[in-house]
Amino acid sequence: GSGGFRKRKHDNFPHGQRREEKENVNPSSAMMMSFKSFQLELDTRHDKYERLVKLSRDITIESKRTIFLLHRFTSVPNGEEVLNESEVKLDAVRRKIKQVAQELIGEDMYQFHRAISPGLQEYVEAVSFQYFIKTRSLISLEEINKQLIFTAEDREETTNTTANSHDKQPHTWSLKVTPVDYLLGVADLTGELMRLCISSVGNGDIDTPFELSQFLCQIYDGFTFIGNTGPYEVSKKLYTLKQSLAKVENACYTLKVRGSEIPKHMLADVFSTKTELIDQEEGLS
Amino acid sequence: PAFTALQGVLTADQDIREEIRKVVQALEQTAREILTLLQGVHQGAGFQDIPKKCQKAREHFGTVRTQLESLKTKFPADQYYRFHEHWRFVLQRLVFLAAFVVYLESETLVTREAVAEILGIEADRERGFHLDIEDYLSGVLILASELARLAVNSVTAGDYSRPLRISTFINELDSGFRLLNLKNDSLRKRYDGLKYDVKKIEEVVYDLSIRGLNKEAAVGAGGEK
């Protein structure tokens, strides 16, 4: 890939006589030798970065699938099964994160943070969604990080990725989700909760929306408390978060107002038209 | 409740950044002073006392070392890359300045280890506050532009041999950079500018050679025929 690109770039060079002059350069001079070592160092760094980007993508995809699965929780009779299945999926995601952690042994995590951050955020979203369904509360950063401590067992399946990372391998190692990744993941979670709220009404579940409204309100308060202390991305999410909250609050409002006058079996219909309206508004903005 | 703790973490983070910014500002000031000092070489009279200017610049690097020493204490040692962006720019300038001094003194490319030593930091990540390889390379590329300018000005000052030596140096540097597989980032962008520096210096050498001035220079310098 990059080889072809380099070639093209140099063909563009306007000077014809340049090539000949290059031959004066001694390929084994001290300067050329050090550039050869720089080449090795940069290539190693870029390769690691690419491996991490790939792992991060896999983590994102699997986490998204887990979230889709969890959305079925309210609509199927055997919710337990869905939860178990999601646990299996999350375990698979954690195995990927373990590989990330292995790549990062002996490294400064922040050097490669941009490669892995999207995946970790999606994982936070998935794991906190599952946690909410189970316990109706918000998972803490510590709780998430506790699950990301790995031991050396079943090492075989990952040895190939670490072959060139480090010789000495500690028995346990961990990956710490940063506070900012946690916050961004939780902000995304609120979008999922909004969807959960709307769909649960569709299933005739009247209690969940009110619970969700309360929960979202707490999260929103938390984010307002942080305000612009955090980085720019966090304050950017605050806007979307407010929209999600508004949708859930409007849903609860409708339930309250119309709930008393419409027979329960017709409520779902009233609601589905209402949410369509909201979606249209969203499309406009 | 959880958010209170997080807010504390974020505030602490902001405090660290504030502290780092202060030191970086001081570093930028010193870097500007060194640059002003070295700018003198571009003026006619400046060519005579290059060694003196380098000497003075080296004294200023003492201040740089103290300032970098204090920067190290502002954040946890294992979080270099978390705050890297704050000092990246100034560190690249400092690499350039150190490389310029070393070039003026010995007409060689400063090694990464030598720059690290001049700046009082490590060349290797594992040993503490270090010089990132990309920052080193960026600094070297700034040097290339400065040398293109120096080639022009040395002709004006009547020194016809220097451009030829600069040309050899830049050509080797260019070959060196061609060995690297650069990603599409700021270093690549800066590397793309190198060809214009090479071109500029080649033009100077061309102007000298069609007028026979390069031979005069070679004789004057006592070099090869």
Side-chain angles (χ1 to χ4, degrees):
Chain A
S2 73
F5 183 62
R6 283 174 63 81
K7 204 182 204 170
R8 186 160 44 111
K9 192 180 68 195
H10 290 129
D11 286 347
N12 283 340
F13 195 83
H15 267 232
Q17 82 259 36
R18 193 155 173 257
R19 283 282 144 90
E20 303 129 50
E21 228 167 319
K22 282 291 111 72
E23 281 156 24
N24 298 333
V25 175
N26 176 7
S28 57
S29 68
M31 201 201 284
M32 292 306 275
M33 291 313 280
S34 49
F35 270 93
K36 267 175 207 155
S37 77
F38 298 155
Q39 179 195 48
L40 185 70
E41 191 175 337
L42 282 174
D43 285 351
T44 312
R45 180 188 284 193
H46 293 160
D47 288 350
K48 189 184 270 288
Y49 193 88
E50 289 307 318
R51 284 198 300 276
L52 286 168
V53 167
K54 189 170 178 305
L55 282 170
S56 169
R57 290 225 177 98
D58 291 346
I59 291 168
T60 307
I61 292 166
E62 273 308 301
S63 301
K64 276 214 165 86
R65 285 187 186 148
T66 313
I67 292 167
F68 272 111
L69 174 72
L70 284 167
H71 270 298
R72 278 173 32 213
F73 176 76
T74 44
S75 59
V76 294
N78 43 353
E80 274 305 306
E81 232 169 75
V82 171
L83 273 184
N84 289 338
E85 206 181 325
S86 75
E87 194 55 40
V88 172
K89 273 184 178 295
L90 285 177
D91 272 334
V93 176
R94 277 190 282 267
R95 272 201 298 282
K96 289 273 179 206
I97 297 181
K98 179 178 177 175
Q99 289 181 27
V100 171
Q102 259 171 326
E103 287 279 5
L104 292 176
I105 291 173
E107 300 282 353
D108 182 337
M109 176 197 166
Y110 284 94
Q111 187 177 355
F112 301 97
H113 187 237
R114 255 200 299 181
I116 55 170
S117 175
L120 289 183
Q121 285 175 32
E122 205 68 32
Y123 171 72
V124 169
E125 188 180 339
V127 109
S128 58
F129 192 34
Q130 189 206 40
Y131 191 87
F132 174 80
I133 288 174
K134 274 198 214 155
T135 67
R136 304 275 141 166
S137 62
L138 181 66
I139 193 167
S140 70
L141 179 57
E142 291 74 29
E143 192 66 38
I144 288 178
N145 282 335
K146 224 184 276 173
Q147 292 178 319
L148 299 181
I149 298 170
F150 308 101
T151 54
E153 51 166 356
D154 66 353
R155 189 192 284 184
E156 307 96 276
E157 58 176 293
T158 47
T159 36
N160 48 355
T161 59
T162 57
N164 48 10
S165 67
H166 243 249
D167 291 343
K168 47 173 187 216
Q169 288 218 347
H171 289 295
T172 65
W173 63 92
S174 64
L175 190 118
K176 282 203 170 64
V177 173
T178 67
V180 172
D181 283 340
Y182 171 75
L183 280 175
L184 293 174
V186 169
D188 290 337
L189 166 73
T190 58
E192 299 306 326
L193 294 179
M194 184 268 293
R195 284 180 57 195
L196 184 70
C197 167
I198 305 298
S199 67
S200 61
V201 182
N203 297 318
D205 181 352
I206 316 272
D207 301 328
T208 309
F210 291 98
E211 256 178 90
L212 279 167
S213 164
Q214 219 182 358
F215 183 68
L216 278 182
C217 204
Q218 277 170 15
I219 292 185
Y220 182 72
D221 286 349
F223 271 87
T224 3
F225 178 65
I226 283 169
N228 53 8
T229 323
Y232 173 66
E233 300 103 290
V234 175
S235 19
K236 215 169 58 181
K237 294 260 172 167
L238 197 57
Y239 178 71
T240 334
L241 174 52
K242 200 169 181 176
Q243 282 186 324
S244 297
L245 180 63
K247 280 179 202 168
V248 172
E249 282 174 347
N250 284 333
C252 290
Y253 166 83
T254 313
L255 275 179
K256 202 79 180 177
V257 176
R258 313 292 297 273
S260 52
E261 49 193 56
I262 295 180
K264 268 223 167 78
H265 65 275
M266 284 174 66
L267 218 105
D269 294 335
V270 172
F271 223 89
S272 56
T273 51
K274 175 82 185 171
T275 51
E276 266 165 33
L277 265 175
I278 292 173
D279 284 344
Q280 275 165 12
E281 277 165 32
E282 192 183 24
L284 287 174
S285 59
Chain B
F3 283 95
T4 320
L6 283 171
Q7 210 259 354
V9 172
L10 293 173
T11 310
D13 202 75
Q14 271 192 334
D15 291 346
I16 292 177
R17 287 175 199 278
E18 201 50 53
E19 288 288 303
I20 290 174
R21 261 194 284 273
K22 270 185 221 153
V23 186
V24 167
Q25 252 168 28
L27 268 170
E28 278 166 350
Q29 177 63 34
T30 320
R32 273 197 299 273
E33 281 163 19
I34 300 176
L35 185 63
T36 314
L37 197 63
L38 292 175
Q39 287 299 301
V41 302
H42 291 290
Q43 281 142 26
F47 281 94
Q48 274 95 56
D49 53 344
I50 285 179
K52 212 204 265 165
K53 290 202 163 66
C54 291
Q55 185 60 40
K56 270 203 184 140
R58 280 199 180 258
E59 282 163 28
H60 278 74
F61 275 108
T63 318
V64 171
R65 281 193 287 275
T66 327
Q67 283 162 342
L68 282 171
E69 202 58 52
S70 117
L71 180 59
K72 283 178 213 176
T73 63
K74 304 297 181 202
F75 65 96
D78 58 347
Q79 298 186 4
Y80 181 93
Y81 284 100
R82 183 161 174 198
F83 305 106
H84 188 194
E85 286 305 317
H86 292 291
W87 58 73
R88 230 184 158 157
F89 181 76
V90 73
L91 203 56
Q92 289 172 5
R93 301 292 298 176
L94 290 167
V95 169
F96 151 61
L97 293 167
F100 196 26
V101 168
V102 169
Y103 181 81
L104 290 171
E105 285 170 349
S106 64
E107 307 211 339
T108 56
L109 177 67
V110 70
T111 62
R112 192 170 157 203
E113 290 72 22
V115 191
E117 208 183 308
I118 293 172
L119 301 177
I121 56 181
E122 302 293 339
D124 205 355
R125 188 179 72 81
E126 263 118 42
R127 283 190 299 186
F129 192 97
H130 70 289
L131 173 59
D132 185 87
I133 180 169
E134 293 185 28
D135 292 338
Y136 166 73
L137 292 171
S138 295
V140 170
L141 287 171
I142 306 177
L143 173 70
S145 326
E146 191 69 17
L147 290 183
R149 194 179 150 214
L150 186 65
V152 172
N153 288 329
S154 35
V155 173
T156 316
D159 182 350
Y160 298 146
S161 63
R162 189 179 286 274
L164 304 182
R165 298 197 305 274
I166 291 180
S167 173
T168 318
F169 179 80
I170 289 281
N171 274 331
E172 193 175 358
L173 201 62
D174 187 47
S175 307
F177 269 98
R178 280 215 229 168
L179 288 178
L180 307 179
N181 307 307
L182 298 177
K183 287 221 302 192
N184 210 358
D185 56 8
S186 66
L187 182 59
R188 230 303 290 287
K189 245 179 242 158
R190 198 165 259 160
Y191 163 70
D192 288 343
L194 180 61
K195 57 178 176 249
Y196 300 111
D197 302 326
V198 173
K199 188 177 164 215
K200 182 81 216 164
I201 295 167
E202 276 173 2
E203 279 166 6
V204 173
V205 172
Y206 170 76
D207 282 339
L208 291 175
S209 59
I210 57 165
R211 292 170 179 82
L213 293 170
N214 59 337
K215 290 195 186 103
E216 192 180 307
V219 172
E224 78 269 67
K225 188 175 82 75

